[in-house]
Amino acid sequence: MTELHPDLRENVRLLGELLGQSIRRYPGEECFDLIEQIRAAAKADRRQESGSGQRLVQLLSRLRDDQLLPVTRAFNQFLNLANLAEQYHGIRRKRNHPSDLMVESLGDVFERLKAGGVAQDELHRRVRNLSIEFVLTAHPTEVARRTLIMKYDEISDCLFQLDHDDLLATERDDIITRLRQLITEAWHTDEIRHERPTAVDEAKWGFAVIENSLWQALPRFLRSLDQSLVSATGQGLPVDAAPIHIASWMGGDRDGNPNVTHEVTRRVFLLGRWMAADLYLRDIQALRAELSMWQANEALRSHVGDCREPYREVLGELRDRLLKTRDWAEAEINGGPADVTGILFENVDLTDPLELCYHSLLDCGLETVANGPLLDTLRRAHAFGLPLIRLDIRQEASRHAEAVAEIVSYLDLGDYLAWTEEERQEFLVRELNGRRPLVPKSWQPSDEVREVLATCEVIAAQTPEALGSYVISMASKPSDVLAVILLLREAGMAWPMRVVPLFETLDDLSGAPACMAALFEIDWYRNYCQDHQEVMIGYSDSSKDAGQMMAAWAQYQAQEKLAGTARRYGLQLTLFHGRGGTVGRGGGPANRAILSQPPGSVDGSFRITEQGEMIRFKFGLPRLAEQSLTLYTTAVIEATLAPPPGPEPEWREAMDWLTERSLKSYRQVVREDPDFVPYFRQATPEQALGKLALGSRPARRKTGGGVESLRAIPWIFAWTQMRLMLPSWLGSDVAISEAVESGRLPLLQEMMERWPFFRTYVDMLEMVLAKADLRIASYYDKTLVEPSLRPLGENLRKRLAGCVELVKTLKNQQNLLEAEPVFAHSMRVRNPYTDPLHYLQAELLRRDREAGDSGEVPEMVERALKVTMAGIAAGMRNTG
């Protein structure tokens, strides 16, 4: 059995010991002893083969109301500290543990590709033109408060300092003292938000990720990419190359979120410009101190005239303009008079002076200086620009159709919503080809339509660098795309913004290739999109709609066909992957996911959502971000230059056969069993999730309704909390079982061995099954579910147990995760801390529901319940 690395174990022990010291001081020794008894009971119960959990349950049942909160908080806090130690361990680099950096280097991947037959020039061309965009999304899955995240970041920094081998005893004591202070502060800080963050709060959190991590990580990563490229091909990255961009949905995603208005979006654009000006100011101040040289080329001399320190002169002008830009943005945000004189607005306003200095230094033989901090700032300017982040806009297709319908009705042109798709397209293309404005000045639209049009006006006022994509959710027809372009043009949009249909349900995914082909048939549109099309694939809703196996296969086929359709029309296709952090929402290890995409679908460009706690796990610390950027970049380059094999015809047939059965089985339970929704509501904390102030967006698209109206995130969150993990395996169990019974096991094993898509699917299924826990799921049923619904729970647990056995058979293993021993051990280490939280949560839910009927829920119960949700999320390393 693989143990934790000694260094990681030591850090977990140290943080746990310091937390224990804080608990001993407050609430005191009695509470500390109780927590230790609970932890010992959880460990003992886990060691018993039967694993009944009896000792633990008896101990927890004796807790007084005043003990509930400190006990739940202690286990939650330990899990957060264990996560932090594990996260730091992934990026630590001690001389005697060089292998701890677990990502294959850029140089190694380049050499492997060259050895596989990729020419140097082709490798250089592909890397130079690479386009990877991370889209930070406002999905409400980050449980930890930002106040605590900042303390955790400093704790990581202390662990980094402790890794130095040459510390004096007093220096080590100072670091331990600081760790003790930080952990005490965290213990005495409320870990639960009591007010839901606004969309602007979420956007600020996204900017903080850039300020605290990506601002340092991105230029360092690009320096590494440049050096690796020179070693592999003899040529580096051009100065203006920007293979990585950061976009965001925070403040731009209004789909089902009435809190994101045009005014919120405008404010977020301005906040981004304020933050960017502030960050560049810090860079420029530092560069002015560095660039004290007098030699300059003719171009720089002609710009500044005869002065002793030409670089400082140019940078002084830039500093003054950045100050004006920051003041302007602040005045606009605060609604005061704003002076636009001398501000930086277009990106060239920032990059031109920097490039002037850079080329002058090169011409004067000062390459060493040119390629120092100045190059880092230049790289930032090309990657982040003056807007700091590219804001995506997302809105539902029906909102645009209603806006066009209202305009058409006002002009007495007919009933747009009653028109056929052909009639809609004909009207939209005719208007787009024309020059006259469509919307009369005197027209007074309804409030809903006014909001759509006002949003378009805010977009039209931005520079191209400030905008990502306009994403249309629930898109299914060419008119969905054309309507958005027309509304943007009416608002004064002067350049072609990317308009991106999002295909998310099973039917939409199936219809996506035909929809895009119909769009590409329109000459006006092909001219508009300038030979480049982006399409978004929705993972969350398709999984909730059809089950994980069917959704994964539908997504694969849609991408394959979309890539073929784009090639047929001579267009470059970028697939935008709307993945969540969890397997049930398309999540999983990034490099495996990218390398299992259909061949030809990752063609040098890749766009992906990163959300909630996954942003922190991947980009929360500079070195962690650098590692994540390396991981994604190597995978995208490899998938482009050495794509995986496509499936054999019999593998396709097998997937069709499997998914026909998995879909039927999944929907029989989720859609057709009348007991399912009542069972879901009773067995999981779904109804209580609204108490957690997770994000600005409501948990449901519509009030009331069943599973279909529930957003994918709370759907996954709820099943994860009680460890049945149902969305990730339901349906797959029946499909694989019938395949084995009908003699298809050797075929499935061949598919696993030779087809990355299927291997990755089974690996992800195994990972999520390892997080499931029959004993805990059973306890929730016994505590919370009325007797008439318990047979359904029993049946689901029986199916889950069967699925575990099937995966072990498929992989020829005695136990799950035999190939992932570190992850398996990490789960075992967490169990004694998550188990008490699960048992307490079930008990607290019971009290909450009983008290809820009478309208009186004790505050301690409610607070402790919220803490159990946050703690379990930390223990599982994901929420939704």
Side-chain angles (χ1 to χ4, degrees):
M1 186 186 291
T2 301
E3 293 296 314
L4 289 186
H5 191 289
D7 288 340
L8 173 56
R9 194 167 60 238
E10 170 56 24
N11 279 346
V12 171
R13 186 203 61 75
L14 171 64
L15 297 178
E17 190 177 287
L18 293 174
L19 175 61
Q21 290 173 15
S22 290
I23 295 168
R24 277 188 149 121
R25 284 192 294 274
Y26 176 82
E29 289 288 345
E30 183 198 359
C31 184
F32 176 80
D33 291 343
L34 179 60
I35 288 162
E36 283 300 292
Q37 287 173 39
I38 292 168
R39 191 166 69 100
K43 277 186 167 177
D45 283 345
R46 279 279 169 183
R47 277 198 297 270
Q48 290 172 9
E49 281 303 307
S50 61
S52 65
Q54 280 309 303
R55 280 184 59 190
L56 183 57
V57 171
Q58 283 164 9
L59 257 177
L60 295 172
S61 66
R62 294 200 292 267
L63 288 182
R64 303 188 306 267
D65 276 5
D66 64 316
Q67 293 173 323
L68 288 171
L69 193 58
V71 168
T72 52
R73 290 192 67 237
F75 286 104
N76 173 43
Q77 200 61 259
F78 178 84
L79 287 162
N80 277 305
L81 292 172
N83 279 349
L84 188 152
E86 211 168 74
Q87 186 179 43
Y88 170 68
H89 186 71
I91 54 170
R92 79 193 309 171
R93 293 181 71 174
K94 292 182 74 172
R95 281 186 310 232
N96 53 337
H97 300 306
S99 63
D100 281 351
L101 197 66
M102 291 177 279
V103 173
E104 189 178 14
S105 73
L106 290 155
D108 288 349
V109 172
F110 292 169
E111 290 308 316
R112 188 154 48 75
L113 288 169
K114 282 164 61 183
V118 176
Q120 286 190 9
D121 286 351
E122 175 68 355
L123 177 58
H124 184 267
R125 182 181 72 82
R126 283 298 199 167
V127 175
R128 189 185 68 221
N129 295 325
L130 200 63
S131 172
I132 301 173
E133 198 160 19
F134 298 98
V135 185
L136 311 181
T137 76
H139 284 297
T141 60
E142 176 53 90
V143 171
R145 289 179 63 200
R146 193 174 153 202
T147 308
L148 285 167
I149 291 169
M150 290 165 78
K151 295 186 197 305
Y152 296 153
D153 287 352
E154 195 178 339
I155 292 171
S156 292
D157 194 49
C158 288
L159 295 179
F160 175 71
Q161 292 170 46
L162 285 175
D163 266 350
H164 288 276
D165 295 331
D166 55 354
L167 289 173
L168 299 174
T170 53
E171 290 174 324
R172 181 178 168 79
D173 288 347
D174 287 346
I175 298 166
I176 299 287
T177 298
R178 183 59 185 148
L179 269 175
R180 185 179 289 110
Q181 289 164 356
L182 288 163
I183 288 172
T184 304
E185 287 172 15
W187 177 241
H188 288 269
T189 299
D190 192 345
E191 57 274 88
I192 299 297
R193 288 193 204 100
H194 293 282
E195 290 177 12
R196 202 171 274 280
T198 66
V200 172
D201 291 335
E202 289 171 331
K204 286 178 180 173
W205 185 77
F207 296 148
V209 173
I210 293 179
E211 177 186 11
N212 299 329
S213 176
L214 286 165
W215 195 255
Q216 293 84 40
L218 189 53
R220 265 212 312 257
F221 163 75
L222 291 173
R223 189 172 290 280
S224 164
L225 181 61
D226 181 52
Q227 289 163 354
S228 302
L229 201 55
V230 169
S231 299
T233 70
Q235 307 171 73
L237 273 183
V239 174
D240 61 352
I244 306 286
H245 282 289
I246 308 297
S248 175
W249 278 14
M250 302 182 197
D253 178 13
R254 58 245 309 123
D255 174 28
N257 189 351
N259 302 311
V260 180
T261 62
H262 72 279
E263 197 44 57
V264 163
T265 299
R266 179 181 167 276
R267 190 176 171 83
V268 169
F269 277 125
L270 289 165
L271 281 166
R273 287 190 177 268
W274 185 95
M275 186 83 242
D278 193 63
L279 288 168
Y280 288 121
L281 265 171
R282 299 176 213 175
D283 274 21
I284 299 305
Q285 302 282 34
L287 285 173
R288 284 195 83 228
E290 292 246 345
L291 302 184
S292 53
M293 293 67 66
W294 72 85
Q295 299 104 314
N297 67 5
E298 193 55 44
L300 183 54
R301 282 278 169 221
S302 65
H303 180 81
V304 297
D306 189 24
C307 66
R308 277 203 306 266
E309 295 179 330
Y311 301 96
R312 284 180 167 171
E313 185 70 23
V314 171
L315 294 171
E317 291 171 15
L318 195 51
R319 177 200 57 200
D320 294 345
R321 293 188 70 187
L322 281 165
L323 283 165
K324 287 177 179 172
T325 305
R326 192 176 63 179
D327 291 346
W328 160 79
E330 191 166 344
E332 285 277 8
I333 290 163
N334 295 330
D339 184 4
V340 297
T341 313
I343 68 165
L344 302 172
F345 197 68
E346 303 284 345
N347 240 36
V348 289
D349 297 342
L350 174 65
T351 55
D352 281 359
L354 293 171
E355 288 188 5
L356 189 64
C357 293
Y358 181 78
H359 291 298
S360 174
L361 288 168
L362 289 183
D363 290 349
C364 296
L366 296 168
E367 295 94 342
T368 310
V369 178
N371 290 320
L374 174 61
L375 180 58
D376 288 346
T377 299
L378 199 43
R379 295 261 193 231
R380 287 183 186 114
H382 284 295
F384 298 112
L386 283 165
L388 189 65
I389 210 160
R390 296 174 167 192
L391 193 64
D392 274 18
I393 306 296
R394 182 166 79 136
Q395 181 58 282
E396 198 182 337
S398 62
R399 292 292 298 273
H400 310 123
E402 285 158 12
V404 174
E406 223 171 271
I407 296 168
V408 166
S409 173
Y410 178 79
L411 297 172
D412 278 336
L413 296 174
D415 182 354
Y416 178 82
L417 296 177
W419 290 353
T420 63
E421 174 60 15
E422 289 69 27
E423 288 170 327
R424 288 189 190 189
Q425 284 182 37
E426 189 185 330
F427 167 76
L428 294 165
V429 172
R430 187 169 65 244
E431 289 301 325
L432 287 164
N433 270 314
R435 294 186 179 179
R436 66 176 174 82
L438 184 64
V439 180
K441 290 273 186 244
S442 57
W443 177 51
Q444 291 295 312
S446 65
D447 289 348
E448 287 80 6
V449 170
R450 183 182 288 109
E451 177 54 39
V452 170
L453 299 178
T455 299
C456 291
E457 285 166 14
V458 169
I459 298 167
Q462 308 307 315
T463 59
E465 299 88 9
L467 292 163
S469 304
Y470 194 121
V471 178
I472 311 164
S473 55
M474 298 297 171
S476 59
K477 316 179 279 297
S479 64
D480 292 334
V481 174
L482 297 172
V484 171
I485 302 172
L486 181 61
L487 293 171
L488 287 171
R489 195 193 72 173
E490 287 299 309
M493 194 79 174
W495 52 274
M497 183 181 183
R498 294 194 306 248
V499 177
V500 177
L502 162 53
F503 299 106
E504 40 198 335
T505 65
L506 197 57
D507 288 346
D508 289 347
L509 283 167
S510 305
C515 170
M516 296 315 295
L519 197 53
F520 299 154
E521 280 293 325
I522 300 168
D523 293 341
W524 183 92
Y525 180 76
R526 278 207 316 282
N527 186 46
Y528 172 88
C529 70
Q530 299 172 337
D531 299 329
H532 178 247
Q533 178 66 49
E534 185 179 309
V535 173
M536 184 168 181
I537 301 292
Y539 288 70
S540 313
D541 285 300
S542 52
S543 297
K544 185 162 72 75
D545 175 37
Q548 181 60 21
M549 181 184 263
M550 180 74 247
W553 180 229
Q555 290 146 11
Y556 186 95
Q557 290 177 295
Q559 290 173 56
E560 201 173 37
K561 288 172 184 164
L562 284 165
T565 302
R567 274 195 299 276
R568 206 163 65 242
Y569 286 91
L571 297 169
Q572 160 85 30
L573 177 72
T574 295
L575 286 167
F576 178 10
H577 300 266
R579 288 174 174 271
T582 54
V583 173
R585 302 187 51 241
N591 58 335
R592 288 196 223 169
I594 294 168
L595 291 168
S596 65
Q597 300 302 311
S601 66
V602 181
D603 190 16
S605 66
F606 193 81
R607 208 165 189 258
I608 188 165
T609 53
E610 295 289 358
Q611 61 202 32
E613 80 280 358
M614 299 316 295
I615 295 173
R616 184 157 56 96
F617 292 153
K618 292 180 183 177
F619 302 107
L621 299 169
R623 292 192 40 221
L624 195 63
E626 211 179 325
Q627 185 172 292
S628 296
L629 293 172
T630 302
L631 187 83
Y632 275 98
T633 302
T634 52
V636 170
I637 291 167
E638 193 166 349
T640 299
L641 288 169
E648 301 287 345
E650 61 180 331
W651 302 348
R652 283 186 191 281
E653 285 171 25
M655 280 311 297
D656 288 340
W657 188 93
L658 285 165
T659 51
E660 185 186 328
R661 282 151 182 78
S662 73
L663 174 67
K664 183 181 174 194
S665 166
Y666 177 86
R667 286 186 171 168
Q668 271 176 346
V669 174
V670 174
R671 287 194 180 181
E672 294 165 26
D673 188 331
D675 287 344
F676 180 74
V677 171
Y679 173 78
F680 169 58
R681 298 254 161 85
Q682 288 182 31
T684 75
E686 183 258 336
Q687 302 284 67
L689 286 180
K691 297 178 193 291
L692 270 185
L694 286 177
S696 68
R697 201 164 74 162
R700 291 185 175 275
R701 293 179 189 275
K702 301 181 181 76
T703 52
V707 171
E708 71 288 344
S709 70
L710 191 71
R711 289 195 174 277
I713 293 163
W715 165 246
I716 301 284
F717 193 127
W719 290 111
T720 304
Q721 290 279 306
M722 54 86 75
R723 299 288 281 277
L724 196 62
M725 316 301 282
L726 176 133
S728 300
W729 60 265
L730 186 67
S732 306
D733 60 317
V734 165
I736 298 171
S737 172
E738 290 188 14
V740 171
E741 285 166 14
S742 60
R744 289 176 165 84
L745 180 60
L747 175 61
L748 297 189
Q749 289 174 327
E750 178 194 323
M751 288 159 65
M752 271 182 56
E753 195 178 320
R754 294 178 49 205
W755 188 18
F757 163 77
F758 192 68
R759 180 168 62 247
T760 301
Y761 172 75
V762 175
D763 287 347
M764 294 305 99
L765 178 59
E766 179 187 26
M767 198 175 289
V768 89
L769 290 173
K771 288 185 176 184
D773 193 299
L774 291 165
R775 183 184 61 167
I776 286 168
S778 171
Y779 186 77
Y780 275 73
D781 266 25
K782 192 172 74 176
T783 310
L784 298 168
V785 176
E786 64 188 69
S788 65
L789 295 175
R790 285 181 198 163
L792 174 57
E794 209 170 300
N795 179 47
L796 291 172
R797 290 193 300 280
K798 191 173 166 188
R799 288 179 61 171
L800 169 60
C803 196
V804 169
E805 293 307 312
L806 286 165
V807 168
K808 291 195 293 195
T809 301
L810 204 51
K811 299 192 87 169
N812 283 321
Q813 294 176 179
Q814 294 297 309
N815 300 295
L816 293 177
L817 298 177
E818 284 182 10
E820 301 279 352
V822 175
F823 176 70
H825 190 71
S826 169
M827 286 297 296
R828 282 196 296 275
V829 167
R830 282 175 164 73
N831 282 333
Y833 299 91
T834 51
D835 285 0
L837 291 173
H838 284 296
Y839 289 116
L840 278 168
Q841 184 182 85
E843 175 58 26
L844 290 165
L845 281 168
R846 186 183 64 75
R847 291 193 200 181
D848 183 60
R849 290 173 189 177
E850 284 175 4
D853 293 338
S854 62
E856 284 297 317
V857 182
E859 192 203 352
M860 271 313 176
V861 169
E862 190 145 311
R863 283 186 67 192
L865 178 55
K866 290 177 184 178
V867 175
T868 64
M869 291 185 205
I872 292 165
M876 295 292 97
R877 280 296 286 266
N878 52 41
T879 48

